[in-house]
């Protein structure tokens, strides 16, 4: 095995770290990468984060201790969840420890909880050992040069049900809805620093004055005329109780701030209502939004016109300030922070209440017209900080005539290698700056030299494991899968190196010899499931271009080979084991197609989801995690050998997605769920999604690390992956459809820097066989005021973290607790924000919130109503919940927001227009509520995963006939929408095609719904109109009022 090259050369310069730190700097010792054989080698070093507070001069110890790394892979709660920071650090009494684990308070005793429960780290009790604290093995000292082969380390708990997972370090507190919120220390909140009156520019040194919020002059008073014809939502609501409100009559748009109607700036409110002298508002920089609400607690009268509630009808609007403040930052599609104003103290952090962290989509498609520059340093080697290993980026500064550069992450002054030297001009800029994308772009890709690999880059490898039991054949799945794979063979990435192989299974395992010299494949059947062996290990995995004709013959004959199969069993587990044995020399993607609940051999499952006695009890959550440790163990093995698993589950019965999904979850894979798959109905969806899975650009054998500046540290990671070491995310395969979230905390009481830098690095093998590092760098200002944090908040990133935290929580707690935690964090944030402003400005019964968070309550509500979290057990099928949970854990921000608040558009008028073309399609989105539906209309509901096409009762018959012909009279569950010989039909199909092109990651299947046709209408549409009250679930107005009441309590 090749060891690291230049990494070793750097070793002597590494400072020594605390003995127990998992960040230790050893290079030749015991990383699992080096020891685990055919994997990628030096990433563990290459991706090492900045050592906190490391002195620059201390030499490195030759032997170091890496408790995490030496124990191999970590599975379980580290990987998925809320493990509170690195426990070893708690040995340092100077560092406050976040709450170790969340234990839901018993109902009824909430009010007795001490205040600190509701704040986080800064006010948390001092460190002490708690029962929930993970116990770590003593540090292992490895002799230099000795590379032991660590066992795969599975978390000691076989299931995900540990208490450590339920809660992030910043406590999510459970308060049953309707119950009063415990008092917060509002006195101290009121005494919050009032430095907020500083102009924005001074709050952010080096901060561009372009900030849209930097309104320092009172705006012209022009609200009255605006307010008479605002919106399009009809007249404002009748005046509510206070004179102030009466005067306001609801909502006036802020003249200078680009905000939609229904919001107005603080300055304006003061002019109109508060009676404060004009001078008092000079220089105010913060603006907020507000809603007037009935202020009678418990009042059922809405007191609020639903039409004026804020709605994200423009979809996800990425925060501009991030890029405007720092034009050298990477695009926000790669990295978004929950607030791009980093708190300078722990006490500030504790008053933020929302997640503090980032969402990363390392391989997001580049913005239109842009390409990621590729940089090859060739013999120079990649320029990095020798201490913290940060990659060269636009924020590194050159000094000493160009001979030194200062690291923006750890501030170390590094020597510029001779080959990379360039003189500085009069402004201190390198004279070659314009030829150096790595110094001018926030996103670059480096070609990695040999020391970033321990073996030649692997070829793209696709291995298919296909169920051929009777239900797989009868559903038509086998035929669709075989045809789709065949149709994609020319487009698989990596020609001519691509490798391919197949296993099929029912009660036995069938291997296929695909050797290129054969004219047709040879099938070998293994029936001994307890002792799986691989016959002909060399010819089961073949080079696609060499064996192409054999592969073609195999795929052509596959459906007919099993057409008369009556076998009802499934040796699923043994089949995966066999596939693993075939693949583990190289790694790659394992695609499993599964129709029948695993019934034979290891990993067999039982119909536990059908056990009604468990539902509604404290044990219900156990149904959402795997019962058999086989699945997690298998996933750990796969990750170790660079195998990503994608599961296509197509059963018509309960199939235990909780267990099957584990394979995808911990290997960076993906779950595709097609309940009751029928080829005649679902064929297009499966075809499209499988084709995308096979042909999209994929990064292989990769690891991801995010570094950040001194004083800040990423502590928890959330998404579908496995953690290798404390901060290295292992991703056997990754693509543009996957995002990951992480939370950070402050390591120091007070940050003294003005800026914090972040760098995301993904080391991977490209399909073309190059080892590469994609690097995204961004900066964010450090602030000393809470108002600024809220103003720079990014609702999309916050919701992405909320989503992942809440879904993880459902694996250990009841659904209602996961929902409640979302609600309570919103309440606490809004209360905190209100306390900043309300009293001084006499806002009375108004609900106020920062403009940046105006959609937060709605998205929070949508999250609570999303399939993984909604209602009780009867409100979504167990498998459906688990599948949706796996999907949502991986979605990029934009896709997640659209899933939560779908597009609803009316199209009948457009279809009726004579000349309109899809290019002219400019249909405005409607609020997602039944009130938007006119029974004379035709509507499309699009959440990115499916279309619901709703036909109003009074829709003109000619439209219906044009679109559906005679089918219009039949039961819609049997109607397939297809293009007919009419202009309207063609136009509708074009619209749908266009919508699909906007969101290509999934194929939206059409579901036709007729107004009033139950239960179909209810199932597909009405329960998903998230603004409406359905069953026991809140509507938008109720939800806002509930939040408002809770905010006001103790405010
Ligand atoms: Zn550094």
């Amino acid at each position: 095995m090749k060891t690291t090259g230049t990494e070793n050369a750097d070793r002597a310069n590494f400072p020594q770290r605390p003995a127990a730190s998992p960040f230790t700097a050893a290079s030749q010792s015991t990383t699992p990468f080096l020891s685990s054989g055919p994997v990628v080698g030096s990433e563990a070093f290459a991706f090492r984060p900045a050592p906190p507070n490391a002195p620059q001069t201390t030499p490195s110890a030759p032997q170091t201790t890496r408790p995490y790394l030496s124990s191999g892979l970590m599975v379980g709660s580290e990987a998925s969840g809320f493990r509170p920071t690195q426990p070893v650090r708690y040995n340092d009494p100077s560092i406050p420890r976040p709450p170790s684990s969340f234990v839901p308070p018993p109902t009824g005793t909430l009010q007795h909880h001490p205040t600190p429960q509701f704040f986080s780290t800064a006010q948390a009790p001092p460190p002490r050992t708690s029962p929930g604290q993970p116990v770590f093995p003593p540090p292992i000292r490895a002799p230099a040069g000795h590379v032991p082969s660590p066992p795969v380390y599975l978390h000691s708990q076989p299931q995900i049900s540990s208490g450590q997972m339920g809660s992030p370090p910043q406590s999510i507190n459970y308060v049953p809805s309707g119950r009063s919120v415990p008092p917060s220390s509002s006195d101290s909140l009121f005494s919050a620093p009032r430095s907020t009156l500083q102009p924005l520019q001074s709050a952010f040194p080096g901060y561009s004055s372009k900030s849209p919020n930097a309104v320092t002059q009172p705006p012209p008073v022009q609200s009255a005329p605006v307010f008479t014809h605002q919106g399009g939502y009809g007249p404002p609501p009748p005046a509510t109780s206070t004179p102030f409100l009466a005067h306001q009559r609801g909502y006036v748009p802020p003249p200078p701030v680009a905000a939609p109607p229904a919001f107005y700036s603080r300055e304006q409110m003061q002019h109109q209502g508060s009676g404060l002298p004009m001078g008092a508002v000079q220089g105010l920089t913060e603006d907020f939004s507000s809603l007037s609400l009935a202020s009678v607690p418990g009042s059922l009268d809405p007191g609020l016109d639903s039409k004026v509630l804020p709605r994200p009808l423009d979809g996800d609007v990425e925060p501009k300030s991030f890029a405007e403040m720092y034009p050298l930052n990477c695009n926000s599609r790669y990295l978004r922070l929950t607030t791009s104003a980093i708190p300078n103290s722990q006490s500030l952090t504790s008053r933020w209440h929302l997640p503090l962290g980032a969402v990363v989509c390392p391989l997001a498609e580049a913005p239109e017209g842009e390409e990621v520059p590729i940089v090859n340093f060739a013999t120079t080697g990649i320029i990095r900080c020798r201490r913290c290993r940060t990659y060269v980026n636009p924020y590194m500064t050159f000094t000493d005539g160009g001979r030194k550069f200062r690291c923006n992450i750890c501030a170390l002054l590094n020597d510029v290698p001779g080959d990379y030297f360039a003189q500085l001009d009069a402004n201190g800029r390198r004279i070659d700056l314009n030829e150096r994308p790595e110094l001018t772009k926030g996103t670059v890709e480096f070609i990695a030299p040999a020391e970033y690999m321990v073996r030649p880059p692997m070829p793209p490898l696709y291995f298919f494991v296909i169920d051929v039991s009777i239900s797989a054949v009868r559903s038509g799945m086998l035929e669709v899968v075989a045809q789709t794979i065949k149709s994609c063979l020319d487009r698989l990435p990596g020609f001519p190196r691509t490798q391919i192989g197949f296993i099929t299974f029912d009660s036995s395992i069938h291997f296929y010899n695909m050797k290129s010299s054969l004219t047709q494949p040879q099938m070998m059947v293994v029936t001994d499931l307890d002792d799986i062996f691989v016959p002909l290990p060399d010819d089961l995995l073949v080079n696609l271009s060499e064996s192409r004709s054999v592969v073609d013959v195999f795929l052509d004959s596959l459906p007919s080979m099993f057409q008369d199969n009556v076998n009802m069993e499934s040796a699923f587990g043994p089949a995966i084991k066999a596939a693993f044995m075939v693949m583990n020399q190289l790694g790659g993607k394992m695609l499993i197609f599964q129709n029948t609940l695993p019934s034979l051999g290891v990993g067999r499952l039982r119909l536990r989801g059908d056990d009604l006695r468990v539902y509604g009890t404290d044990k219900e959550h156990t149904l959402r995690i795997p019962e058999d440790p086989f699945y997690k163990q298998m996933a750990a093995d796969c990750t170790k050998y660079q195998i990503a698993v994608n599961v296509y589950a197509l059963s018509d019965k309960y199939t235990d997605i909780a267990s099957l999904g584990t394979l995808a979850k911990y290997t960076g894979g993906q779950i595709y769920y097609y309940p009751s798959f029928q080829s005649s109905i679902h064929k297009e969806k499966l075809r499209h999604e499988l084709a995308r899975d096979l042909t999209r650009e994929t990064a292989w054998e990769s690891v991801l690390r995010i570094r950040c500046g001194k004083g800040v540290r990423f502590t928890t990671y959330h998404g579908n992956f496995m953690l290798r070491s404390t901060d290295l995310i292992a991703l056997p395969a990754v693509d543009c459809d996957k995002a990951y979230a992480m939370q950070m905390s402050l390591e120091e009481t007070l940050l003294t820097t003005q800026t914090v830098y972040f760098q995301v690095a993904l080391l991977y093998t490209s399909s073309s066989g190059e080892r590469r590092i994609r690097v995204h760098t961004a900066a964010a200002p450090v602030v000393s005021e809470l108002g600024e944090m809220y103003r720079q908040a990014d609702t999309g990133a916050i919701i992405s973290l909320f989503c992942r935290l809440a879904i993880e929580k459902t694996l250990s707690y009841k659904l209602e607790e996961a929902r409640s935690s979302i609600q309570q964090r919103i309440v606490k944030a809004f209360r905190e924000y209100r306390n900043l402003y309300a009293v001084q400005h006499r806002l009375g019964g108004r609900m106020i919130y920062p403009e940046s968070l105006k959609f937060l309550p709605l998205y929070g509500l949508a999250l609570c109503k999303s399939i993984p979290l909604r209602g009780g057990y009867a409100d979504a099928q167990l498998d459906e919940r688990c599948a949706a949970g796996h999907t949502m854990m991986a979605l990029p921000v934009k896709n997640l927001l659209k899933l939560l608040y779908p597009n609803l558009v009316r199209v009948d008028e457009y279809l009726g227009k004579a000349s309109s073309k899809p290019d002219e399609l400019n249909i405005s989105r409607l609020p997602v509520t039944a009130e938007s539906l006119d029974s004379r209309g035709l509507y499309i509901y699009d959440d990115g995963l499916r279309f619901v096409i709703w036909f109003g009762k009074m829709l003109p018959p000619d439209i219906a006939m044009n679109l559906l012909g005679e089918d219009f009279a039949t039961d819609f569950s049997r109607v397939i929408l297809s293009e007919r010989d009419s202009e309207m039909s063609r136009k509708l199909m074009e619209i749908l095609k266009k919508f699909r092109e906007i969101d290509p990651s999934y194929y939206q299947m059409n579901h036709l719904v007729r107004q009033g046709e139950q239960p179909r209408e209810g199932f597909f549409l009405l329960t998903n109109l998230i603004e409406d009250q359905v069953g026991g679930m809140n509507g938008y107005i109720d939800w806002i009022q509930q939040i408002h009441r809770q905010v006001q309590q103790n405010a």
Side-chain angles (χ1 to χ4, degrees), residues 173-213:
N173 294 291
Y174 164 53
V175 177
S177 60
R179 180 168 283 282
S180 72
V181 180
S184 60
S185 57
S186 48
D187 286 350
S188 69
L189 301 179
F190 279 116
S191 65
R194 287 290 175 186
S195 57
T196 52
L197 300 183
Q198 296 294 323
L200 195 63
Q201 286 86 344
S202 68
F204 288 168
Y207 183 100
S208 159
S209 59
K210 278 189 295 180
S211 168
N213 290 326

Side-chain angles (χ1 to χ4, degrees), residues 385 387-390 407 409-412:
C385 172
R387 177 165 62 193
C388 72
R389 311 306 287 145
T390 293
C407 172
I409 297 268
C410 77
L412 182 75

